[in-house]
Amino acid sequence: MKSDGTRMRYASHLPIKGVGAAGQARIRDSHVILIGMGGLGCAAAQYLVSSGVGKLTMCDFDTVVESNLARQILYRSQDLGRLKVEVAKESLHILNPETNLELETQRMDDTRMLSSFPACDFVLDASDNYGTRLAVNRVCLSLGKPWLMASCIRMEGQLMLLRPDQPENACYRCTYGQAPDTLEDCPGAGIFAPVAGVVGTSAAHFALACLAGLSVPVGLHLLDATNWDWQTLKPKRNPDCQDCGKRS
Ligand SMILES: [Zn+2]
């Protein structure tokens, strides 16, 4: 810990079994790349920063529009038209000035991921499209980088921790091919605002637990918020998967 003041800030983490001062130091020394600053990204970023992640790179090229405000809780009415990442940086700096906040306003394609991911410890994909998720999957597989997929729509959410450094586990493409109830990407389908908060906060939990060194379960976690039912699936690795099938 840097100082007594810093230690006080994270005092509630220190008695947690498996976290303690050493786990909190690992969180402080970590760099997270967060892709997508919508409802999930806003919720996740707040807990990553408040919990003391050392560096957070936020990636989004969108500007704030009025229909974002119900669930994208880092933005205010007066922020309409501004870049989301710039507004988020101001808000998060007030929350915890100890986190180094970096911004990426270009679309995250394979090339940008390949240049930026090696320097980070964890990737959190809170984007809203399969193309980006599949690209994150490919690049994280090639680098052996742990990442988390988070998505939500209507009253449903999905979370999956992916560990390419543990090759016995299914990758995102293996899982997507087998998921019985895969969420579509459809802006018109709607999203109940608190569901984005629940899933985004859950995503921060997975990331922080992983960074602190806690044992975190892999698998696909599905939330049906209408019935408040969480289900966990254990997708099997597909030996013919075009992304991970050729690994040893
Ligand atoms: Zn695969």
Side-chain angles (χ1 to χ4, degrees):
M1 301 298 109
K2 283 185 206 166
S3 65
D4 286 340
T6 302
R7 194 174 186 87
M8 283 303 293
R9 182 182 282 271
Y10 311 113
S12 64
H13 283 180
L14 304 183
I16 306 293
K17 187 179 179 189
V19 181
Q24 188 61 43
R26 285 190 286 271
I27 291 172
R28 178 201 63 203
D29 293 339
S30 62
H31 175 196
V32 176
I33 293 182
L34 170 54
I35 301 174
M37 288 303 293
L40 297 173
C42 282
Q46 289 187 103
Y47 279 98
L48 292 172
V49 169
S50 71
S51 297
V53 159
K55 182 173 175 182
L56 176 66
T57 301
M58 297 178 283
C59 313
D60 203 306
F61 52 84
D62 265 344
T63 54
V64 179
V65 298
E66 193 165 15
S67 60
N68 299 150
L69 298 178
R71 67 189 182 285
Q72 300 185 18
I73 53 173
L74 290 173
Y75 318 132
R76 305 285 179 262
S77 300
Q78 64 264 30
D79 300 322
L80 297 180
R82 297 184 61 202
L83 276 168
K84 290 182 177 180
V85 289
E86 290 185 352
V87 180
K89 182 177 181 178
E90 291 172 5
S91 208
L92 294 166
H93 181 71
I94 293 168
L95 179 60
N96 187 355
E98 294 179 356
T99 297
N100 176 12
L101 298 166
E102 293 211 337
L103 311 181
E104 172 56 74
T105 57
Q106 303 294 312
R107 183 179 289 279
M108 289 297 282
D109 56 15
D110 286 65
T111 305
R112 282 200 182 82
M113 293 180 194
L114 278 166
S115 69
S116 60
F117 285 8
C120 83
D121 301 290
F122 194 90
V123 178
L124 202 170
D125 184 315
S127 66
D128 59 359
N129 68 87
Y130 287 122
T132 300
R133 283 177 218 140
L134 288 170
V136 173
N137 188 57
R138 281 192 299 275
V139 174
C140 285
L141 277 168
S142 73
L143 298 172
K145 191 72 66 180
W147 69 285
L148 187 94
M149 181 279 297
S151 66
C152 61
I153 193 168
R154 295 183 295 263
M155 300 288 263
E156 302 155 42
Q158 293 190 354
L159 291 158
M160 185 174 187
L161 177 66
L162 293 119
R163 296 291 306 262
D165 54 326
Q166 298 173 357
E168 68 277 15
N169 295 320
C171 81
Y172 178 71
R173 188 182 282 278
C174 297
T175 305
Y176 170 51
Q178 296 172 3
D181 184 23
T182 303
L183 304 181
E184 72 264 42
D185 288 320
C186 176
I191 171 72
F192 196 53
V195 174
V198 169
V199 179
T201 305
S202 302
H205 166 81
F206 274 81
L208 289 164
C210 205
L211 292 167
L214 293 168
S215 173
V216 180
V218 294
L220 175 60
H221 306 279
L222 304 171
L223 170 65
D224 164 10
T226 303
N227 298 301
W228 205 255
D229 176 56
W230 282 98
Q231 198 184 354
T232 299
L233 305 180
K234 304 280 185 192
K236 289 203 166 30
R237 189 176 162 201
N238 174 8
D240 299 319
C241 172
Q242 68 185 83
D243 284 356
C244 75
K246 293 188 177 63
R247 291 188 302 166
S248 57

